[in-house]
Amino acid sequence: VTMDEQLGKLCCCLKVYFPCIFGDAKGSGAPLVSFSEIKGSRVKISNFYVAGSGTALVNVPLIQNRAYWEFKVVELGHFCAGVCEPSKKNLDGQLSDRKKTWAISSKSLKCEFKKGDFIGMGYDLSDIRPVLRVYYNGKLVKTIKCSKDMQGDVYPCVSVEEGCMLEANFEGSLQPFQYGPPQNYSGIMFTRDIL
C-alpha cells in the first residue's frame, strides 16, 4: 500500500467523522443524505451508524431512476433493510411489522453474516413496478417487486435489534461504496442535486 493510498483512506475517514472540518464532500455546501429524525425512541443514530432497537428512515425520498446504498455490518444482530412510505407509526418495531414497506430481513437471507459484511440496496424506478435489489458482499441475492399501489414518496429505511449495529453509506461521496453501484445506478441524491 502506497503512502498516497494510506493518506486517501485517512482523509475519507476524517471526512466521515469530522465533516465540520472538510464541509460537504461535493464542495457545494449541500446537505448530506443521512438518517432523519424519523426513528424509533430506542434507535441510536451517530453520524452514519445505527444501533439499538427499532426503525430509522433516511432524510430524503428516492425519486431518481436508480439509487444504490450500502450497509456495513459492524456488530452482529438482526436487521431489516429496504424502503417504506413515510410514517411515524410503529417506529419502535421492525420493518417487517410495518405496512407499506418493502424490505429484507437478515434472518430471511440465506447468508452467514459476519462483521465487515456489506448489504447493498438497489432501488429501480425505471420499470412499470419499482424493484428493490439486495446484494450481499456485491452479489445479487434477492429481488423484490414493490407494490403497484405505492402512493407518493418512499424512503430508504433500516431496523435493528439484538445488538446489531450498521454503518450506512448513502451517497458514495464521503467514502466510496465497497462494492460499487451496479451499472446505471448511483448513490442516493438530494432532490435539488437531481434538478
Side-chain angles (χ1 to χ4, degrees), residues 27-180:
S28 65
L32 294 173
V33 177
S34 63
F35 289 107
S36 73
E37 295 300 316
I38 302 175
K39 66 180 186 64
S41 61
R42 297 172 296 163
V43 174
K44 297 175 187 98
I45 303 288
S46 176
N47 292 325
F48 295 94
Y49 290 86
V50 60
S53 181
T55 298
L57 276 66
V58 174
N59 63 346
V60 295
L62 294 170
I63 61 171
Q64 68 204 72
N65 278 343
R66 292 185 179 103
Y68 179 80
W69 63 101
E70 289 179 338
F71 293 105
K72 178 181 179 180
V73 177
V74 178
E75 295 293 335
L76 296 174
H78 177 243
F79 66 88
C80 295
V83 297
C84 68
E85 291 184 4
S87 168
K88 293 184 179 182
K89 294 180 182 175
N90 203 18
L91 292 172
D92 288 327
Q94 297 298 297
L95 287 177
S96 54
D97 302 331
R98 292 173 54 96
K99 293 181 180 182
K100 304 279 185 166
T101 298
W102 299 271
I104 55 93
S105 163
S106 58
K107 292 178 181 177
S108 71
L109 291 176
K110 308 264 189 278
C111 304
E112 289 289 326
F113 287 101
K114 301 177 296 299
K115 290 181 182 181
D117 282 346
F118 284 82
I119 297 297
M121 309 297 293
Y123 187 66
D124 186 350
L125 283 172
S126 67
D127 205 347
I128 294 171
R129 284 176 67 179
V131 174
L132 182 66
R133 291 182 174 86
V134 182
Y135 300 85
Y136 172 66
N137 290 333
K139 295 173 101 174
L140 180 65
V141 292
K142 183 102 175 155
T143 300
I144 302 168
K145 289 206 178 226
C146 301
S147 174
K148 290 184 206 177
D149 65 341
M150 250 195 297
Q151 302 277 324
D153 294 332
V154 297
Y155 288 74
C157 53
V158 64
S159 62
V160 291
E161 66 179 352
E162 299 173 5
C164 184
M165 178 188 285
L166 301 175
E167 179 185 8
N169 185 352
F170 297 118
E171 296 182 76
S173 62
L174 288 176
Q175 62 185 25
F177 289 119
Q178 181 68 28
Y179 288 96

